[in-house]
Amino acid sequence: MSRDSGVWPIQYMHYMPGESLRVEMMRGAYKLCTECANIQPGENVVISSDFNKLRIAECIAGAALALGAKPTIVMITPTGAHGRQLTKPAEDAVAASDVFFLPATYSQTHTDARVRALANGARGTTMCEVTEDLMCTGAMLGNYLECDERGHKLGAYISKGKKWRFVTKEGTDLEGIIEGRPMQYETGLFREPGTFAAWPNSEINIAPIEGTAHGKIVVNVRIMNIGVMRDEPTTLFVENGLIVGAEGAGGEELMKLLESYNDPTAYNVAEFGLGLNPVSRMYANNLEDLGKWGTGHVGIGSNYAIGGKVKAPCHVDVSFSDIQVYIDDVLIYEKDKIYV
């Protein structure tokens, strides 16, 4: 089966958008606004979206309104790249919020809008590439309290370490120095000021020190922007903290994409992350792949918004399954088991 064939099991009968789907999406919107965000009456809620995701934005606004909050939808044209900055009016609106939601075609995580909002004491979540299906089923059915507990248990141990190493049976063997870098808890809960999520994804991640990552990544799940790699795994080569080469069709496409930005920072190995949610579906969409329990990922490009030093024109995630994670050569995580 080709990764571009689109022939994947549909687990939700109303996968294709229909007018009635707005009603069903309210289930996810309500969980998002209550269990995850803990929205309170009177709070200013800003929803930064684009033309492709307006129906989702409206459902979130409806749930926020029902809770007594004051929702504002800001709609822009799709930015065209994950991590590309928003227009100034959109950025200012997000920065002025109490709670923000970013359901958009392209990720708004690695943007000044998100950084400024958190610095101002807001809380919120990115929702890049979110689909209407995701508001109804899949990862959103998970227990985010359990994911958060799992993530903080792992994060507390990892934060004390110096070196992170990824290993998979497919051939991934990648390591980098993480000493002194802050752990990012994007577990799905963002109930306190300054907290952030990537809903419905649930993960923890950290930015390795620039120039220290080396090894190889065998991508057998997905390359963001490009597609599923299940049947055609691709290998990326890393030296001195940069992606320096690739083997396989997907990897070649990725190299062309990075080259198109005409900026050396686009090749930066920006992030090491691992998923926390056992309910996430594999290969259904990028958000669920990143958050799947047992799946790891590496971000490429920007990391200034997660504790790193690089502000690149993009941020592209590549994900792989059945991981082992070693911290200072001690195995702490294997497929779906924790050893801390």
Side-chain angles (χ1 to χ4, degrees), residues 12 14-31 49-64 73 75 131-137 140:
Y12 189 71
H14 298 303
Y15 191 89
M16 299 303 294
E19 285 302 313
S20 64
L21 192 56
R22 278 192 177 91
V23 177
E24 298 183 66
M25 284 195 291
M26 288 305 301
R27 176 171 53 176
Y30 186 77
K31 181 173 184 175
S49 191
D50 59 43
F51 300 144
N52 295 330
K53 306 298 179 182
L54 180 58
R55 285 157 52 103
I56 295 172
E58 289 175 339
C59 288
I60 297 170
I73 296 176
M75 186 172 65
T131 63
E132 297 185 359
D133 168 68
L134 274 179
M135 300 295 291
C136 303
T137 191
M140 62 80 60

Side-chain angles (χ1 to χ4, degrees), residues 166 174-177 181 206-215 217 236-244 258 264-272 297-303 306 308-310 315-316 318:
F166 270 129
L174 178 74
E175 63 181 48
I177 304 301
R181 287 291 167 88
I206 197 167
I209 294 175
E210 291 74 19
T212 66
H214 62 92
I217 311 164
L236 308 178
F237 300 97
V238 179
E239 295 178 6
N240 300 317
L242 300 173
I243 303 294
V244 296
L258 299 179
T265 62
Y267 298 86
N268 177 55
V269 174
E271 171 195 0
F272 295 161
H297 64 272
V298 172
I300 303 166
S302 274
N303 63 5
I306 58 171
K309 296 182 178 180
V310 173
H315 183 93
V316 179
V318 300

Side-chain angles (χ1 to χ4, degrees), residues 27-199:
R27 176 171 53 176
Y30 186 77
K31 181 173 184 175
L32 176 61
C33 290
T34 54
E35 177 184 319
C36 298
N38 192 31
I39 287 178
Q40 298 299 306
E43 287 192 304
N44 286 307
V45 175
V46 173
I47 305 157
S48 174
S49 191
D50 59 43
F51 300 144
N52 295 330
K53 306 298 179 182
L54 180 58
R55 285 157 52 103
I56 295 172
E58 289 175 339
C59 288
I60 297 170
L65 182 65
L67 294 168
K70 296 180 284 188
T72 299
I73 296 176
V74 179
M75 186 172 65
I76 62 174
T77 55
T79 62
H82 295 292
R84 183 168 289 168
Q85 300 298 329
L86 308 187
T87 62
K88 191 62 165 60
E91 177 186 323
D92 289 345
V94 174
S97 67
D98 296 316
V99 186
F100 61 87
F101 299 92
L102 311 177
T105 307
Y106 297 97
S107 174
Q108 299 180 14
T109 301
H110 300 270
T111 64
D112 292 343
R114 200 269 285 194
V115 172
R116 287 177 56 198
L118 295 185
N120 290 339
R123 63 191 190 276
T125 183
T126 187
M127 300 171 69
C128 73
E129 297 184 348
V130 65
T131 63
E132 297 185 359
D133 168 68
L134 274 179
M135 300 295 291
C136 303
T137 191
M140 62 80 60
L141 299 175
N143 186 324
Y144 287 102
L145 294 173
E146 290 183 357
C147 291
D148 186 72
E149 181 180 354
R150 190 177 295 124
H152 277 83
K153 184 176 182 180
L154 281 163
Y157 185 93
I158 294 171
S159 296
K160 298 175 184 178
K162 296 181 179 180
K163 183 178 71 173
W164 177 309
R165 182 186 177 201
F166 270 129
V167 176
T168 72
K169 64 180 181 181
E170 295 276 354
T172 294
D173 195 341
L174 178 74
E175 63 181 48
I177 304 301
I178 58 170
E179 185 177 16
R181 287 291 167 88
M183 179 61 64
Q184 306 295 313
Y185 295 96
E186 299 177 18
T187 65
L189 298 184
F190 48 104
R191 302 167 64 91
E192 302 297 331
T195 55
F196 177 72
W199 199 92

